[in-house]
Amino acid sequence: MKPALISKKPIYPTSWQALPVGDDMKQHVQTNLEACSRRFFGYHMVRLGCLSSQIDLPECAIKHIINVVDAKCLEQHQSLHGVNVIAQTHELPFSENSVDAYLLAHELDFSKDPHQILREVDRTLIPNGHVVIVGFNPFSLAGIFRYLPLKSNKVLREARFFSSMRINDWLHLLGFEIIEQDQLVFSSLLFKRKSRIFSRIETFCRQYLPIFSSIYVIVAKKRVVPLSLIKPKWKPSPKFSAVGASVRTSMQKNSVDSR
């Protein structure tokens, strides 16, 4: 297993169009998130990265949306819906327990240190807050074909392709509970033929071979166990009472003096 921390950051895509069949992938993700976004409640939602900031969530009850992007992405997409914050995703400028929901669309796939990003998400997310992670499946055709000496999309070859099982392990270590996981897009992603996505092969794989999907969507919830004091049901009786001893001593002294 390759280490999560690498020395050089992969090529970061600033739009879905930089990926093969990117518009179709974006549409699949948006459609999948319509149902689960209705369960998000609170005041603030953060979309991390350029790809996440371009995902529309019209069914989400959280209306204050913050986009965390870099300066290059903001120059190319000045019409992003929500409040734009220029920052690094591994150093979020938010206080602890202040964000109600996060969206990470392929942000871990193009990150240098995905562990640090998840730690920052855990630090700033409120208890029972939600996080949605969209990633590339290494067991898909896209994950296999990117190792072949074929002329293909360079950005997709730079992607990390973390498996959903590995992401789930990281989330469990941070105390998250996996609520939902879906598999999307059964195609190689390395060939820009739109008909491939809607082929019979995709229908067959979606029904019988979901492990070979190109994209997975994980919805997790932050669980925090509150600390509560447990009072003992019995109270031990004291063997020595200083107050009682002083009282008895003074009573005995008074009786002696009276004699």
Side-chain angles (χ1 to χ4, degrees):
M1 181 181 297
K2 295 182 179 180
L5 178 62
I6 58 177
S7 58
K8 182 180 179 182
K9 185 176 181 180
I11 299 177
Y12 191 83
T14 57
S15 66
W16 288 89
Q17 289 74 23
L19 300 172
V21 295
D23 292 331
D24 295 306
M25 286 193 296
K26 176 183 176 182
Q27 186 61 39
H28 276 72
V29 173
Q30 289 183 160
T31 303
N32 180 267
L33 294 181
E34 286 182 0
C36 69
S37 63
R38 299 191 186 101
R39 301 196 298 264
F40 301 162
F41 295 97
Y43 300 97
H44 313 290
M45 180 174 184
V46 176
R47 297 183 294 193
L48 290 184
C50 295
L51 300 182
S52 303
S53 302
Q54 300 170 41
I55 296 294
D56 297 327
L57 300 173
E59 301 295 331
C60 184
I62 304 176
K63 300 306 178 183
H64 186 222
I65 298 179
I66 304 172
N67 303 318
V68 178
V69 295
D70 55 11
K72 182 179 179 181
C73 178
L74 188 58
E75 291 178 359
Q76 298 182 5
H77 305 278
Q78 298 182 359
S79 60
L80 293 176
H81 173 69
V83 180
N84 299 321
V85 176
I86 299 178
Q88 300 294 328
T89 55
H90 61 275
E91 294 179 355
L92 298 177
F94 307 124
S95 59
E96 297 182 1
N97 303 327
S98 60
V99 179
D100 299 281
Y102 272 99
L103 173 60
L104 286 73
H106 301 293
E107 188 64 25
L108 301 181
D109 289 315
F110 297 98
S111 64
K112 178 181 177 181
D113 188 1
H115 288 171
Q116 180 59 26
I117 295 179
L118 291 179
R119 283 192 291 264
E120 283 291 281
V121 170
D122 177 62
R123 178 185 66 85
T124 57
L125 193 65
I126 66 170
N128 296 322
H130 291 83
V131 58
V132 180
I133 298 178
V134 183
F136 291 120
N137 182 18
F139 307 112
S140 63
L141 294 177
I144 297 174
F145 285 173
R146 69 193 185 103
Y147 293 107
L148 300 179
L150 301 174
K151 183 179 180 181
S152 58
N153 188 275
K154 186 177 180 180
V155 177
L156 192 62
R157 287 185 177 274
E158 290 283 324
R160 307 290 303 277
F161 277 80
F162 295 112
S163 66
S164 59
M165 291 81 75
R166 194 173 183 183
I167 299 296
N168 290 338
D169 288 340
W170 295 346
L171 293 174
H172 283 307
L173 289 175
L174 293 174
F176 283 85
E177 177 187 358
I178 307 302
I179 296 178
E180 183 180 342
Q181 180 172 331
D182 294 321
Q183 314 297 131
L184 307 176
V185 185
F186 294 83
S187 65
S188 66
L189 297 184
L190 296 176
F191 305 96
K192 299 182 179 181
R193 289 189 294 178
K194 184 177 179 180
S195 60
R196 179 179 293 270
I197 292 184
F198 303 99
S199 62
R200 296 181 179 179
I201 298 178
E202 182 191 5
T203 305
F204 177 83
C205 293
R206 184 185 299 275
Q207 185 175 0
Y208 300 104
L209 301 173
I211 193 176
F212 296 116
S213 66
S214 298
I215 299 175
Y216 57 82
V217 179
I218 300 175
V219 182
K221 193 172 186 178
K222 181 180 177 180
R223 296 298 190 184
V224 177
V225 180
L227 298 177
S228 58
L229 297 177
I230 301 177
K231 297 182 179 180
K233 296 182 179 180
W234 56 274
K235 294 182 179 180
S237 58
K239 295 182 179 180
F240 175 78
S241 177
V243 176
S246 61
V247 172
R248 287 194 296 270
T249 302
S250 61
M251 290 178 63
Q252 293 176 0
K253 183 178 180 181
N254 293 334
S255 61
V256 172
D257 294 339
S258 60
R259 291 178 182 178

mmCIF file of all heavy atoms in Angstrom, residues 22-45:
data_model
loop_
_atom_site.group_PDB
_atom_site.id
_atom_site.type_symbol
_atom_site.label_atom_id
_atom_site.label_comp_id
_atom_site.label_asym_id
_atom_site.label_seq_id
_atom_site.Cartn_x
_atom_site.Cartn_y
_atom_site.Cartn_z
ATOM 1 N N GLY A 22 -15.886 14.921 -17.920
ATOM 2 C CA GLY A 22 -16.043 15.621 -16.649
ATOM 3 C C GLY A 22 -17.444 16.148 -16.422
ATOM 4 O O GLY A 22 -17.956 16.095 -15.298
ATOM 5 N N ASP A 23 -18.079 16.669 -17.470
ATOM 6 C CA ASP A 23 -19.438 17.183 -17.316
ATOM 7 C C ASP A 23 -20.410 16.081 -16.915
ATOM 8 O O ASP A 23 -21.318 16.301 -16.103
ATOM 9 C CB ASP A 23 -19.901 17.844 -18.617
ATOM 10 C CG ASP A 23 -19.126 19.117 -18.918
ATOM 11 O OD1 ASP A 23 -18.682 19.774 -17.949
ATOM 12 O OD2 ASP A 23 -18.955 19.445 -20.110
ATOM 13 N N ASP A 24 -20.231 14.893 -17.471
ATOM 14 C CA ASP A 24 -21.099 13.777 -17.116
ATOM 15 C C ASP A 24 -20.844 13.318 -15.679
ATOM 16 O O ASP A 24 -21.783 12.985 -14.954
ATOM 17 C CB ASP A 24 -20.880 12.610 -18.084
ATOM 18 C CG ASP A 24 -21.290 12.964 -19.502
ATOM 19 O OD1 ASP A 24 -22.436 13.406 -19.688
ATOM 20 O OD2 ASP A 24 -20.463 12.808 -20.408
ATOM 21 N N MET A 25 -19.581 13.293 -15.268
ATOM 22 C CA MET A 25 -19.282 12.937 -13.886
ATOM 23 C C MET A 25 -19.892 13.941 -12.914
ATOM 24 O O MET A 25 -20.455 13.564 -11.872
ATOM 25 C CB MET A 25 -17.765 12.864 -13.681
ATOM 26 C CG MET A 25 -17.110 11.646 -14.296
ATOM 27 S SD MET A 25 -15.415 11.422 -13.696
ATOM 28 C CE MET A 25 -14.635 12.897 -14.326
ATOM 29 N N LYS A 26 -19.785 15.206 -13.239
ATOM 30 C CA LYS A 26 -20.363 16.240 -12.390
ATOM 31 C C LYS A 26 -21.870 16.070 -12.268
ATOM 32 O O LYS A 26 -22.441 16.189 -11.175
ATOM 33 C CB LYS A 26 -20.025 17.614 -12.961
ATOM 34 C CG LYS A 26 -20.650 18.771 -12.209
ATOM 35 C CD LYS A 26 -20.338 20.094 -12.885
ATOM 36 C CE LYS A 26 -21.049 21.241 -12.198
ATOM 37 N NZ LYS A 26 -20.799 22.545 -12.882
ATOM 38 N N GLN A 27 -22.538 15.775 -13.391
ATOM 39 C CA GLN A 27 -23.987 15.578 -13.364
ATOM 40 C C GLN A 27 -24.363 14.362 -12.528
ATOM 41 O O GLN A 27 -25.354 14.391 -11.785
ATOM 42 C CB GLN A 27 -24.515 15.429 -14.788
ATOM 43 C CG GLN A 27 -26.037 15.362 -14.881
ATOM 44 C CD GLN A 27 -26.697 16.619 -14.361
ATOM 45 O OE1 GLN A 27 -26.211 17.730 -14.578
ATOM 46 N NE2 GLN A 27 -27.811 16.455 -13.667
ATOM 47 N N HIS A 28 -23.592 13.286 -12.627
ATOM 48 C CA HIS A 28 -23.862 12.094 -11.829
ATOM 49 C C HIS A 28 -23.728 12.401 -10.332
ATOM 50 O O HIS A 28 -24.555 11.963 -9.523
ATOM 51 C CB HIS A 28 -22.897 10.970 -12.203
ATOM 52 C CG HIS A 28 -23.328 10.172 -13.389
ATOM 53 N ND1 HIS A 28 -23.287 10.672 -14.667
ATOM 54 C CD2 HIS A 28 -23.818 8.909 -13.493
ATOM 55 C CE1 HIS A 28 -23.732 9.750 -15.515
ATOM 56 N NE2 HIS A 28 -24.065 8.675 -14.826
ATOM 57 N N VAL A 29 -22.703 13.157 -9.966
ATOM 58 C CA VAL A 29 -22.485 13.478 -8.554
ATOM 59 C C VAL A 29 -23.604 14.379 -8.033
ATOM 60 O O VAL A 29 -24.129 14.164 -6.928
ATOM 61 C CB VAL A 29 -21.107 14.142 -8.370
ATOM 62 C CG1 VAL A 29 -20.933 14.646 -6.944
ATOM 63 C CG2 VAL A 29 -19.998 13.162 -8.710
ATOM 64 N N GLN A 30 -23.979 15.384 -8.800
ATOM 65 C CA GLN A 30 -25.049 16.287 -8.379
ATOM 66 C C GLN A 30 -26.362 15.550 -8.189
ATOM 67 O O GLN A 30 -27.093 15.780 -7.211
ATOM 68 C CB GLN A 30 -25.220 17.423 -9.384
ATOM 69 C CG GLN A 30 -24.090 18.417 -9.377
ATOM 70 C CD GLN A 30 -24.333 19.574 -10.329
ATOM 71 O OE1 GLN A 30 -23.723 20.639 -10.205
ATOM 72 N NE2 GLN A 30 -25.229 19.395 -11.282
ATOM 73 N N THR A 31 -26.678 14.652 -9.112
ATOM 74 C CA THR A 31 -27.917 13.889 -9.001
ATOM 75 C C THR A 31 -27.902 12.988 -7.775
ATOM 76 O O THR A 31 -28.909 12.842 -7.076
ATOM 77 C CB THR A 31 -28.137 13.046 -10.270
ATOM 78 O OG1 THR A 31 -28.144 13.910 -11.409
ATOM 79 C CG2 THR A 31 -29.452 12.296 -10.199
ATOM 80 N N ASN A 32 -26.750 12.396 -7.493
ATOM 81 C CA ASN A 32 -26.644 11.501 -6.340
ATOM 82 C C ASN A 32 -26.751 12.259 -5.021
ATOM 83 O O ASN A 32 -27.296 11.730 -4.042
ATOM 84 C CB ASN A 32 -25.328 10.736 -6.404
ATOM 85 C CG ASN A 32 -25.145 9.793 -5.241
ATOM 86 O OD1 ASN A 32 -24.552 10.135 -4.223
ATOM 87 N ND2 ASN A 32 -25.671 8.578 -5.373
ATOM 88 N N LEU A 33 -26.254 13.497 -4.981
ATOM 89 C CA LEU A 33 -26.245 14.261 -3.739
ATOM 90 C C LEU A 33 -27.562 14.978 -3.465
ATOM 91 O O LEU A 33 -27.723 15.554 -2.383
ATOM 92 C CB LEU A 33 -25.111 15.286 -3.764
ATOM 93 C CG LEU A 33 -23.686 14.722 -3.764
ATOM 94 C CD1 LEU A 33 -22.673 15.849 -3.764
ATOM 95 C CD2 LEU A 33 -23.463 13.805 -2.570
ATOM 96 N N GLU A 34 -28.487 14.968 -4.411
ATOM 97 C CA GLU A 34 -29.753 15.659 -4.188
ATOM 98 C C GLU A 34 -30.516 15.061 -3.012
ATOM 99 O O GLU A 34 -31.073 15.785 -2.183
ATOM 100 C CB GLU A 34 -30.611 15.611 -5.454
ATOM 101 C CG GLU A 34 -30.135 16.540 -6.557
ATOM 102 C CD GLU A 34 -31.043 16.483 -7.779
ATOM 103 O OE1 GLU A 34 -32.030 15.707 -7.737
ATOM 104 O OE2 GLU A 34 -30.771 17.201 -8.748
ATOM 105 N N ALA A 35 -30.545 13.745 -2.930
ATOM 106 C CA ALA A 35 -31.322 13.089 -1.867
ATOM 107 C C ALA A 35 -30.655 13.247 -0.503
ATOM 108 O O ALA A 35 -31.302 13.624 0.474
ATOM 109 C CB ALA A 35 -31.517 11.613 -2.196
ATOM 110 N N CYS A 36 -29.341 12.972 -0.426
ATOM 111 C CA CYS A 36 -28.676 13.012 0.878
ATOM 112 C C CYS A 36 -28.498 14.435 1.391
ATOM 113 O O CYS A 36 -28.425 14.652 2.611
ATOM 114 C CB CYS A 36 -27.332 12.301 0.804
ATOM 115 S SG CYS A 36 -26.081 13.122 -0.185
ATOM 116 N N SER A 37 -28.437 15.430 0.499
ATOM 117 C CA SER A 37 -28.261 16.815 0.949
ATOM 118 C C SER A 37 -29.483 17.340 1.683
ATOM 119 O O SER A 37 -29.385 18.332 2.405
ATOM 120 C CB SER A 37 -27.925 17.718 -0.238
ATOM 121 O OG SER A 37 -28.994 17.746 -1.168
ATOM 122 N N ARG A 38 -30.625 16.701 1.514
ATOM 123 C CA ARG A 38 -31.821 17.138 2.243
ATOM 124 C C ARG A 38 -31.704 16.854 3.732
ATOM 125 O O ARG A 38 -32.438 17.446 4.531
ATOM 126 C CB ARG A 38 -33.056 16.433 1.683
ATOM 127 C CG ARG A 38 -33.343 16.716 0.216
ATOM 128 C CD ARG A 38 -34.714 16.192 -0.181
ATOM 129 N NE ARG A 38 -34.941 16.322 -1.618
ATOM 130 C CZ ARG A 38 -34.831 15.321 -2.479
ATOM 131 N NH1 ARG A 38 -34.516 14.110 -2.039
ATOM 132 N NH2 ARG A 38 -35.033 15.501 -3.766
ATOM 133 N N ARG A 39 -30.805 15.958 4.107
ATOM 134 C CA ARG A 39 -30.627 15.624 5.523
ATOM 135 C C ARG A 39 -29.634 16.537 6.223
ATOM 136 O O ARG A 39 -29.436 16.409 7.436
ATOM 137 C CB ARG A 39 -30.159 14.174 5.666
ATOM 138 C CG ARG A 39 -31.112 13.156 5.072
ATOM 139 C CD ARG A 39 -30.790 11.758 5.587
ATOM 140 N NE ARG A 39 -29.456 11.341 5.200
ATOM 141 C CZ ARG A 39 -29.187 10.582 4.128
ATOM 142 N NH1 ARG A 39 -30.177 10.197 3.336
ATOM 143 N NH2 ARG A 39 -27.959 10.227 3.849
ATOM 144 N N PHE A 40 -29.012 17.460 5.495
ATOM 145 C CA PHE A 40 -28.036 18.358 6.100
ATOM 146 C C PHE A 40 -28.767 19.570 6.666
ATOM 147 O O PHE A 40 -29.492 20.265 5.944
ATOM 148 C CB PHE A 40 -27.000 18.814 5.073
ATOM 149 C CG PHE A 40 -26.227 17.679 4.447
ATOM 150 C CD1 PHE A 40 -25.527 17.868 3.266
ATOM 151 C CD2 PHE A 40 -26.189 16.430 5.032
ATOM 152 C CE1 PHE A 40 -24.823 16.837 2.682
ATOM 153 C CE2 PHE A 40 -25.487 15.383 4.462
ATOM 154 C CZ PHE A 40 -24.802 15.597 3.282
ATOM 155 N N PHE A 41 -28.549 19.839 7.940
ATOM 156 C CA PHE A 41 -29.154 20.992 8.582
ATOM 157 C C PHE A 41 -28.079 21.773 9.328
ATOM 158 O O PHE A 41 -27.063 21.221 9.743
ATOM 159 C CB PHE A 41 -30.259 20.553 9.556
ATOM 160 C CG PHE A 41 -31.433 19.888 8.879
ATOM 161 C CD1 PHE A 41 -31.519 18.508 8.819
ATOM 162 C CD2 PHE A 41 -32.434 20.647 8.301
ATOM 163 C CE1 PHE A 41 -32.591 17.885 8.205
ATOM 164 C CE2 PHE A 41 -33.514 20.036 7.677
ATOM 165 C CZ PHE A 41 -33.594 18.658 7.629
ATOM 166 N N GLY A 42 -28.328 23.055 9.498
ATOM 167 C CA GLY A 42 -27.387 23.903 10.204
ATOM 168 C C GLY A 42 -27.296 25.270 9.567
ATOM 169 O O GLY A 42 -28.205 25.724 8.853
ATOM 170 N N TYR A 43 -26.167 25.918 9.805
ATOM 171 C CA TYR A 43 -25.980 27.294 9.362
ATOM 172 C C TYR A 43 -24.893 27.439 8.295
ATOM 173 O O TYR A 43 -24.997 28.322 7.441
ATOM 174 C CB TYR A 43 -25.621 28.180 10.558
ATOM 175 C CG TYR A 43 -26.674 28.191 11.634
ATOM 176 C CD1 TYR A 43 -26.558 27.370 12.748
ATOM 177 C CD2 TYR A 43 -27.784 29.029 11.549
ATOM 178 C CE1 TYR A 43 -27.524 27.377 13.752
ATOM 179 C CE2 TYR A 43 -28.756 29.047 12.531
ATOM 180 C CZ TYR A 43 -28.624 28.220 13.634
ATOM 181 O OH TYR A 43 -29.578 28.224 14.613
ATOM 182 N N HIS A 44 -23.848 26.615 8.330
ATOM 183 C CA HIS A 44 -22.704 26.807 7.439
ATOM 184 C C HIS A 44 -22.323 25.487 6.783
ATOM 185 O O HIS A 44 -22.180 24.459 7.460
ATOM 186 C CB HIS A 44 -21.501 27.353 8.207
ATOM 187 C CG HIS A 44 -21.831 28.497 9.121
ATOM 188 N ND1 HIS A 44 -22.182 29.746 8.662
ATOM 189 C CD2 HIS A 44 -21.878 28.553 10.472
ATOM 190 C CE1 HIS A 44 -22.423 30.537 9.692
ATOM 191 N NE2 HIS A 44 -22.249 29.840 10.799
ATOM 192 N N MET A 45 -22.113 25.532 5.475
ATOM 193 C CA MET A 45 -21.615 24.389 4.725
ATOM 194 C C MET A 45 -20.404 24.834 3.919
ATOM 195 O O MET A 45 -20.403 25.914 3.314
ATOM 196 C CB MET A 45 -22.681 23.831 3.782
ATOM 197 C CG MET A 45 -22.192 22.629 2.980
ATOM 198 S SD MET A 45 -23.481 21.859 2.003
ATOM 199 C CE MET A 45 -22.570 20.455 1.328
#
